[in-house]
Amino acid sequence: MNAVAHASEIVSGGETRQLLEDGLATAHRRIEDRFTQGAVALTSIMDVLAQLIGSMDRLTGALDGETASAVMASIQKTVTDLAGLPEMESSRGERFGDIAALCQRLQGEVEAMREIMRYLRTFAVTMKITGAHLFEFSSFAEEIRERIQQGAEEVESFGQQLQEMQDQIVRARAISAGMVAEYSSAVPGIVEELHRNIGKIGQEHQAMALLAAEVKQQAKGVQGKIATVLSNLQIGDITRQRIEHIRSAFDILEAFIAETSELDPAEGAQMRLRVARLAAAQMDQTLQDFLGGCADVLRVMSSFATDAQGVLEIRDKIVGLPGAKGAISLRALEESVAGAHALVSKVEASGADADRTATSVVMTAQALLEGIRIIQQIEIDIHHMALNSTLRCHKLGEAGRSVDVVSAELRTFAAHLEQPAGKIVSTLHELEQISQGFGGDVVADGDRISVPLADALGAIRSICTQVDEGLRDFAADGQNVFSTISGAISTLDFESELGEALRECLALASQIAIGQLKDDDNYPDAIAELGERIFGIYSMAQERDIHRTLFPSPPEQASVGSSEEAPEEEDDLDALLF
């Protein structure tokens, strides 16, 4: 059998040709599926990177927003007020001490009035005894005695109220002293802790911002690599098109032979052999280009594992996992502010108690003033009654002399009440003035500190929640990036699965291309026409260059592939991007 007959037997509708057709169809389908999966995998990486950046922005934004800045500024201002708590409580204690001293002074005056009332009672009894023989003095002496007794009772009532007030002041003063000791011990530590934690948050936010920038830089690096891989994925579309062109070349061949009746079987066999050679050459170049493109993809993808690990390392730094740096101090600040708020709440409670005590002191002082006015009035009544007694005694002459002496003593001792009474009135006014000063600053100071602290505490807890959610999301997104990239690496390993399929197609194409191709063809016009039809399906310069090695170039296409057409070829390739 000659070479032409052998070639005819190989390339004509045999099993090998059918296997090649099936192999090309299978490779075409698998390339389309696998590269679509690869594009989806790369898109998913882009999505999780966007989620990662978004969660990072939310995390840093929680500490960098207007609310957070306002909260920190409010706390900084409040720290100054906190530092003044011991002095404020000490001033309050001093006021209680001043009131206690005034109470003690009042007690001395009350004791003086008690002493005077004892003398007056004695003189009243003496008057009654001395004037017993005088009928008109008996009822009068009893009246004076009753008035003096009433005065004594008022003095005792005054003294009892004063003692109750003094006891209340003593208790309030003791509580204030305890608060001074507590504030002096606790406030400096709280103030220092607030300063420290605010400073740490600023440092940690700065560190977090740097890490966030590192995350974004890492993410942008991966995004750039993905763009490169997406560009390289055009090798899949190019390969599919070239497989389609190989299959189309066989279809064009059979259609041409069928419609060209002047070709004899030997000439048809030569054309089949020529197209088989063309298919093998195109398949060989397609395989080489495919393997080169896959190598480029794998080269870029091999660095993704390092990128994914880098994302995890940054995540560990930010979320503060064991051995990592940059643990968040917001919770520590929350505890500091909560402690400060609890302390200030005690200030408010203490201030409210002080205010109530001061109010009670003012009311007691007013009641005592009323009581002292009654005593003063009794003193006047006693003085007038004693004066009337003296006038009556003068009318009685010698019989009333003894009673006159007692009446004079009554007037004298009754006048002695005026001095302690006047001092008591003055002291009570002073006590009122001191007591009224409590409500003007103690409670107001407490309110001024506690309100912004309560607001800051609520805002910090809200920020803590946002940061916790941001850390949780960022940790999950970081793991998601790692998992997605790790999964994509195997998805984008096209060569291991598709390379073998293309090699099988090349082997089959090479097998059907075996035979002797005549150099002195007697049908150049038919070959040229067939070549022109096949040439028209190409979209890439490489395909045209390979075609020219087996078919003469069409006259109108002679310049195809020259330097002038390079931009058009690049446009063709760009159109193949996913």
Side-chain angles (χ1 to χ4, degrees):
M1 182 181 296
N2 59 31
V4 173
H6 179 69
S8 177
E9 178 181 350
I10 292 175
V11 298
S12 60
E15 291 183 359
T16 304
R17 167 74 176 275
Q18 187 59 47
L19 288 175
L20 175 60
E21 290 280 354
D22 294 342
L24 289 172
T26 299
H28 184 280
R29 184 180 63 256
R30 290 174 64 186
I31 288 172
E32 184 175 17
D33 292 343
R34 291 289 287 109
F35 274 78
T36 299
Q37 293 174 9
V40 170
L42 290 173
T43 302
S44 66
I45 294 176
M46 296 288 276
D47 290 341
V48 297
L49 285 174
Q51 291 176 0
L52 180 70
I53 293 173
S55 62
M56 187 73 259
D57 288 340
R58 289 191 298 274
L59 177 59
T60 54
L63 289 173
D64 199 26
E66 293 181 2
T67 300
S69 299
V71 168
M72 298 309 166
S74 175
I75 293 175
Q76 288 279 24
K77 179 181 180 301
T78 305
V79 164
T80 303
D81 296 329
L82 281 171
L85 286 181
E87 182 179 353
M88 185 187 72
E89 188 61 42
S90 179
S91 176
R92 181 190 302 170
E94 290 176 1
R95 292 184 183 183
F96 281 130
D98 292 341
I99 293 175
L102 292 176
C103 289
Q104 191 64 36
R105 189 196 305 173
L106 287 171
Q107 287 287 13
E109 302 303 331
V110 170
E111 188 58 38
M113 286 196 300
R114 285 194 182 105
E115 185 68 20
I116 293 170
M117 295 308 295
R118 282 195 294 270
Y119 278 108
L120 289 175
R121 281 200 301 268
T122 300
F123 286 124
V125 172
T126 302
M127 175 182 282
K128 186 173 182 179
I129 295 172
T130 304
H133 63 286
L134 300 174
F135 175 76
E136 61 269 24
F137 272 101
S138 179
S139 60
F140 183 69
E142 182 62 25
E143 185 179 352
I144 291 178
R145 191 192 67 78
E146 290 177 357
R147 195 61 172 154
I148 291 173
Q149 182 61 34
Q150 183 183 2
E153 290 174 358
E154 288 293 338
V155 170
E156 288 303 320
S157 175
F158 185 97
Q160 184 177 357
Q161 292 184 69
L162 178 61
Q163 185 61 52
E164 291 175 356
M165 182 177 69
Q166 188 172 14
D167 293 342
Q168 186 180 17
I169 293 298
V170 169
R171 289 193 298 270
R173 189 180 183 188
I175 293 173
S176 179
M179 296 292 282
V180 169
E182 180 179 354
Y183 294 167
S184 299
S185 173
V187 168
I190 290 177
V191 170
E192 181 182 356
E193 190 174 3
L194 285 171
H195 273 305
R196 182 173 61 253
N197 288 330
I198 291 174
K200 286 178 66 177
I201 287 175
Q203 294 171 1
E204 289 170 1
H205 179 250
Q206 185 178 7
M208 187 180 294
L210 293 175
L211 289 173
E214 189 176 343
V215 168
K216 291 181 180 179
Q217 182 179 4
Q218 190 99 352
K220 287 180 180 178
V222 176
Q223 288 172 333
K225 292 178 181 180
I226 290 175
T228 300
V229 174
L230 283 171
S231 178
N232 290 338
L233 286 188
Q234 67 179 326
I235 190 62
D237 205 13
I238 292 172
T239 303
R240 285 191 295 110
Q241 287 194 31
R242 295 178 76 166
I243 289 174
E244 290 174 0
H245 296 163
I246 294 172
R247 296 171 66 189
S248 296
F250 282 119
D251 294 338
I252 292 171
L253 166 68
E254 296 303 329
F256 181 82
I257 291 176
E259 68 185 38
T260 308
S261 57
E262 63 270 17
L263 289 176
D264 60 34
E267 291 171 341
Q270 277 291 297
M271 283 195 171
R272 288 189 176 93
L273 180 58
R274 189 178 295 272
V275 171
R277 292 271 183 92
L278 176 64
Q282 294 283 17
M283 195 68 233
D284 180 63
Q285 188 61 52
T286 298
L287 175 61
Q288 297 307 316
D289 291 345
F290 179 80
L291 294 177
C294 290
D296 291 337
V297 170
L298 285 177
R299 175 179 53 78
V300 178
M301 288 300 298
S302 63
S303 65
F304 276 23
T306 302
D307 296 329
Q309 186 61 40
V311 170
L312 286 184
E313 290 175 359
I314 299 174
R315 180 204 66 175
D316 291 349
K317 290 180 182 179
I318 292 179
V319 301
L321 295 178
K325 297 179 180 179
I328 303 301
S329 292
L330 269 173
R331 290 298 181 189
L333 179 62
E334 178 188 1
E335 292 179 3
S336 299
V337 174
H341 185 261
L343 184 65
V344 170
S345 296
K346 293 183 69 174
V347 173
E348 288 193 43
S350 176
D353 288 341
D355 193 34
R356 285 191 292 271
T357 299
T359 300
S360 176
V361 167
V362 170
M363 293 175 64
T364 302
Q366 291 172 350
L368 291 175
L369 282 170
E370 182 62 28
I372 203 65
R373 280 194 289 269
I374 293 173
I375 293 171
Q376 286 175 319
Q377 185 61 49
I378 291 174
E379 179 267 328
I380 294 172
D381 292 345
I382 294 172
H383 179 79
H384 287 165
M385 292 172 74
L387 183 58
N388 288 337
S389 176
T390 298
L391 294 175
R392 290 185 181 186
C393 288
H394 286 175
K395 290 179 181 181
L396 292 173
E398 190 62 31
R401 184 179 296 277
S402 59
V403 175
D404 185 25
V405 173
V406 176
S407 296
E409 291 295 330
L410 275 173
R411 290 200 313 275
T412 301
F413 274 90
H416 288 170
L417 284 173
E418 186 60 35
Q419 184 177 1
K423 290 182 179 179
I424 287 174
V425 170
S426 176
T427 302
L428 286 175
H429 284 307
E430 188 177 350
L431 186 147
E432 274 187 308
Q433 190 174 19
I434 295 174
S435 299
Q436 288 170 350
F438 278 98
D441 56 3
V442 176
V443 176
D445 281 347
D447 287 340
R448 182 164 54 86
I449 301 174
S450 94
V451 171
L453 274 178
D455 293 341
L457 185 58
I460 289 173
R461 285 171 176 165
S462 176
I463 294 171
C464 282
T465 300
Q466 294 179 47
V467 171
D468 287 344
E469 291 175 353
L471 286 171
R472 185 172 60 251
D473 292 343
F474 180 70
D477 291 338
Q479 185 61 49
N480 197 14
V481 167
F482 180 81
S483 302
T484 304
I485 289 178
S486 299
I489 293 175
S490 59
T491 303
L492 293 170
D493 184 10
F494 303 115
E495 194 277 333
S496 61
E497 180 178 346
L498 301 177
E500 188 59 33
L502 293 177
R503 289 187 184 92
E504 291 177 2
C505 291
L506 175 60
L508 291 170
S510 300
Q511 185 175 347
I512 65 173
I514 296 174
Q516 182 66 40
L517 190 65
K518 294 175 61 177
D519 292 332
D520 53 343
D521 295 315
N522 296 321
Y523 43 95
D525 293 340
I527 292 175
E529 183 178 354
L530 175 61
E532 185 176 351
R533 291 186 183 184
I534 295 174
F535 194 89
I537 66 176
Y538 297 136
S539 58
M540 286 160 273
Q542 281 184 321
E543 293 177 300
R544 298 184 185 113
D545 291 341
I546 294 172
H547 182 90
R548 292 189 186 99
T549 63
L550 291 163
F551 287 91
S553 299
E556 64 275 16
Q557 299 291 342
S559 62
V560 173
S562 65
S563 60
E564 291 81 357
E565 290 199 3
E568 178 183 349
E569 178 184 342
E570 292 177 1
D571 291 341
D572 291 340
L573 293 180
D574 290 341
L576 300 177
L577 287 171
F578 285 94

